[in-house]
Amino acid sequence: MASYANQECFQSNDDHPMVLLHRLPSFNSPLKDILQPHFHLLDPADSPEPASSFLSCHAKSVRALICIYNTPLSAETLNLLPSLELIVATSAGVDHIDLEECRCRGIIMTNASTAFAEDAADHAVALLIDVCRRISTADRFVRGGLWPVKRDCPLGFKVGRKRVGIVGLGRIGLEVGKRLEAFGCSIAYNSRKKMPSVPFSYHANVLDLAEDSDALILCCSLTEQTHHIINKDVLEALGKEGVIINVGRGALIDEKVLVQFLLRGDTGGAGLDVFESEPDVPRELFELDNVVLSPHRAIFTSESLEALHQLVFTNLKAFFSNKPLQSVFQIE
Ligand SMILES: O=CC(=O)O
């Protein structure tokens, strides 16, 4: 690992172009070791200097930045990087990055959705099956020694033939649709726009989608437009038996309202991988057998991380040789 004592000497060259790592000091990533032989990595988190003075002194000519997980990337930080042209996000969601600033400056962004889509979709489907078939409840029942005593575990619901509404038909949403079609579910979706080449029916708003669905699966990005897209009206439209699954971002749902609906029995169940104030999870949910919780793990498999590392490497190589990038995130 390079020493940061003499950063002034660091110059990008064609063989080892300079790339800035943007990470919280607590976020270590194997990417560093993978990229080090090929790029000249600048990592302010390794420097004793405050990040802002590090960036002003050493990163003015940086053209590419890797944003590790959900490290916030504000307009203020971007303003310290006048030569920045590319942000490589190592997450599928990019709500931690100031997209407006990127849009104004024409900064290109790639995200990790191509690397993560299949695993995120598997997790969404697993949550749906778990909520409907009460698998986690059954597991607790057996481990708690209740089987010989009570015999009866709570009755579940069939997954096949459910009407499933997908909110956000990007790469993850499409994979969810593909999987649940194979279960015999009927699939509809809401997205910013209708997708001409998909076989699923389109609803221009989430309220209509909820009215026509037994389960809603949230796969969209968190933006100003999608913040609390699942609110009281949508939950009412989904109905008492309706199930909600979230592998997007916690703030897609008005969490307080969802908790009230679940506690009153006005929503049939929920499978939640993301929460409004992670790692805090509303404690009321712990008691509910129709709720399955996971700690923001939908994308984490060793295969998806390997695919991510490959994607980051390929995109950086492509950028510095003026070749097309993969998994470009369209900033609108
Ligand atoms: O939540 C995970 C991601 O956005 O990659």
Side-chain angles (χ1 to χ4, degrees), residues 128 158-166 180 184-189 201 203 208-217 237-239 241-243:
L128 178 67
K158 194 175 182 64
V159 175
R161 298 198 284 279
K162 284 261 175 311
R163 296 169 307 154
V164 174
I166 300 174
L180 287 172
C185 295
S186 66
I187 315 288
Y189 71 101
S201 34
H203 288 268
D208 291 345
L209 181 69
E211 247 155 34
D212 275 354
S213 299
D214 302 310
L216 284 182
I217 304 194
L238 185 62
E241 315 240 297
V243 169

Side-chain angles (χ1 to χ4, degrees), residues 106-214:
I107 295 172
I108 302 165
M109 177 147 31
T110 61
N111 73 355
S113 59
T114 50
F116 292 165
E118 291 181 354
D119 293 306
D122 286 352
H123 199 86
V125 172
L127 286 173
L128 178 67
I129 296 172
D130 194 338
V131 171
C132 290
R133 300 300 312 272
R134 304 282 195 259
I135 292 172
S136 293
T137 305
D139 179 80
R140 287 191 292 272
F141 185 84
V142 174
R143 287 169 199 256
L146 294 176
W147 195 6
V149 189
K150 279 179 77 176
R151 313 285 310 170
D152 267 352
C153 203
L155 199 60
F157 301 90
K158 194 175 182 64
V159 175
R161 298 198 284 279
K162 284 261 175 311
R163 296 169 307 154
V164 174
I166 300 174
V167 181
L169 204 70
R171 289 195 174 91
I172 297 170
L174 277 169
E175 292 295 332
V176 169
K178 251 175 29 191
R179 282 155 177 71
L180 287 172
E181 248 191 330
F183 278 74
C185 295
S186 66
I187 315 288
Y189 71 101
N190 163 256
S191 238
R192 275 173 302 202
K193 25 188 191 293
K194 187 168 170 16
M195 318 253 296
S197 54
V198 300
F200 313 138
S201 34
Y202 176 69
H203 288 268
N205 68 68
V206 176
L207 204 58
D208 291 345
L209 181 69
E211 247 155 34
D212 275 354
S213 299
D214 302 310

Side-chain angles (χ1 to χ4, degrees), residues 83-94:
S83 310
L84 192 68
E85 292 168 51
L86 172 71
I87 295 173
V88 176
T90 65
S91 51
V94 290

Side-chain angles (χ1 to χ4, degrees), residues 45-105:
D46 265 356
S47 160
E49 283 178 72
S52 55
S53 47
F54 179 95
L55 294 180
S56 331
C57 287
H58 309 299
K60 286 226 152 73
S61 61
V62 159
R63 294 174 58 211
L65 171 155
I66 306 174
C67 188
I68 303 287
Y69 302 126
N70 59 350
T71 307
L73 183 50
S74 63
E76 208 181 0
T77 302
L78 290 169
N79 285 335
L80 300 171
L81 304 168
S83 310
L84 192 68
E85 292 168 51
L86 172 71
I87 295 173
V88 176
T90 65
S91 51
V94 290
D95 47 290
H96 52 293
I97 298 175
D98 192 316
L99 297 183
E100 184 52 22
E101 183 66 19
C102 295
R103 198 182 56 74
C104 290
R105 285 189 35 195

Side-chain angles (χ1 to χ4, degrees), residues 277-294:
S277 307
E278 293 171 8
D280 295 333
V281 175
R283 294 199 70 83
E284 300 95 312
L285 300 180
F286 292 7
E287 303 306 318
L288 301 178
D289 272 343
N290 54 347
V291 174
V292 178
L293 306 167
S294 62

